[in-house]
Amino acid sequence: MADRASIFQTVQLGVEATSGTSVAANKLLQSMAIEPGIKSNVDTFKATGSKYATVAALNMEWVEAKLSGQPVFDEVIYPLAGIFGAPTTTQPDAVNAPNAYKHVFSEATRAATAAKTFTVEQGSAERAHKFTYGLMTALGFKLSKKEFKLDGKMMGQALVDGITLTASPAALPLIPVLPSQFDVKVADSQAGLAAAPVLDRVLSAEWEVDDKFGRVDNIKRGQTSYGAHVDTDPKMTEKLKLAADSAGMGLLTQLRSGATKFLRVEAVGDTIAATVKYTFAYDIALKVVD
């Protein structure tokens, strides 16, 4: 038997129609790594008169996974759908650019998030495993002049080992989102972002949302993993490193007043077709706290 070489471990996923029900992992991820680890809750008991535990019983088992990578325009929609739910998808120019789509992710602050979950397969022809109910619980983007990276966290139901990877998964175009494609703007309203001046001295920008969902550890015969999830109290932050010029120091006014500012971080890449370009952007309403 050949040894399992870490260099050949591929990751592929499929979007589940019903959370926890396995589907074919028919998308090959080439810009992101998902590294799953087995977690468990084992109850131990030590009998009177014994030095060591005599009983070890598995109560729960699940997966926690680390996500990392270099965002590319076509693959980044998957972790975004996992954290915010399905996007609203339109065609900006269906006639001249029929293969170009615009995906808008938004979230209601007073309603549950209909997050997309995934069946995730990881491994090689030597050995592979999978987990279902792959749920994003954290996601972040880090932008500097040097790099643009993503990281995040997932959880999933109990690992299934010794599987055969889904054959012939589709590979999406690998067109990276580059630091040189970004502009950063700040305005007093979201509508004002379009005409707002570009900030000249942004040194770094980091967005993160964490603790987005939690497990429902319900009691049910034969079920040793979690059966559902709920929205929890998420933590969303944006960190900007700015020069201490009029724009950077201007945020001191919002720190003192508690007023809301709106931020746009936007990358525009090459042309897809006609006048439609590859674009990655996020808008946030912010309170300055530090």
Side-chain angles (χ1 to χ4, degrees):
M1 181 181 72
D3 288 319
R4 184 177 179 181
S6 59
I7 192 172
F8 299 124
Q9 304 304 296
T10 61
V11 178
Q12 41 196 89
L13 59 75
V15 181
E16 295 177 343
T18 302
S19 295
T21 299
S22 182
V23 297
N26 55 8
K27 300 294 184 184
L28 176 66
L29 296 184
Q30 299 183 92
S31 70
M32 290 178 280
I34 298 176
E35 303 171 59
I38 299 170
K39 301 295 180 181
S40 62
N41 175 270
V42 176
D43 192 20
T44 60
F45 175 78
K46 183 172 73 69
T48 302
S50 174
K51 284 185 177 181
Y52 306 110
T54 53
V55 175
L58 176 69
N59 292 324
M60 276 196 64
E61 182 184 344
W62 69 97
V63 167
E64 293 180 3
K66 177 183 176 183
L67 181 73
S68 61
Q70 162 70 56
V72 300
F73 289 102
D74 289 275
E75 285 190 2
V76 74
I77 63 173
Y78 288 98
L80 287 171
I83 209 83
F84 291 125
T88 299
T89 300
T90 58
Q91 289 181 279
D93 188 344
V95 175
N96 299 307
N99 296 320
Y101 296 89
K102 181 179 182 180
H103 307 284
V104 178
F105 298 86
S106 59
E107 184 179 33
T109 58
R110 297 180 182 273
T113 302
K116 290 295 184 182
T117 60
F118 309 101
T119 295
V120 179
E121 298 178 354
Q122 193 241 9
S124 66
E126 299 303 330
R127 191 177 194 91
H129 46 236
K130 73 175 181 180
F131 61 91
T132 57
Y133 214 132
L135 180 69
M136 296 290 304
T137 59
L139 182 65
F141 298 106
K142 296 181 179 180
L143 171 65
S144 68
K145 189 66 175 178
K146 178 182 175 182
E147 61 184 11
F148 180 54
K149 298 291 185 183
L150 71 79
D151 55 26
K153 293 182 285 188
M154 296 183 73
M155 66 179 183
Q157 291 182 334
L159 196 79
V160 180
D161 190 32
I163 69 159
T164 299
L165 293 169
T166 298
S168 305
L172 297 173
L174 291 177
I175 302 172
V177 188
L178 301 173
S180 59
Q181 298 169 335
F182 277 93
D183 277 336
V184 180
K185 296 180 178 182
V186 173
D188 292 328
S189 67
Q190 187 179 25
L193 285 169
V198 174
L199 297 180
D200 285 331
R201 293 294 182 266
V202 180
L203 305 179
S204 65
E206 298 183 12
W207 171 84
E208 182 182 39
V209 61
D210 200 357
D211 295 334
K212 191 68 169 57
F213 303 107
R215 303 190 314 259
V216 177
D217 295 337
N218 56 302
I219 299 170
K220 187 176 182 181
R221 182 181 296 130
Q223 179 176 291
T224 58
S225 197
Y226 63 91
H229 73 276
V230 292
D231 287 70
T232 54
D233 186 11
K235 302 174 182 67
M236 186 182 293
T237 57
E238 174 77 29
K239 296 181 181 180
L240 292 174
K241 187 174 183 180
L242 307 173
D245 54 12
S246 59
M249 294 305 296
L251 295 176
L252 183 59
T253 301
Q254 280 72 40
L255 173 68
R256 290 170 172 167
S257 69
T260 301
K261 293 293 279 189
F262 288 80
L263 173 77
R264 174 169 294 168
V265 180
E266 181 181 47
V268 177
D270 294 335
T271 299
I272 300 174
T275 60
V276 182
K277 295 179 179 291
Y278 283 101
T279 304
F280 170 86
Y282 63 83
D283 291 358
I284 314 176
L286 296 172
K287 298 290 187 180
V288 181
V289 298
D290 194 14

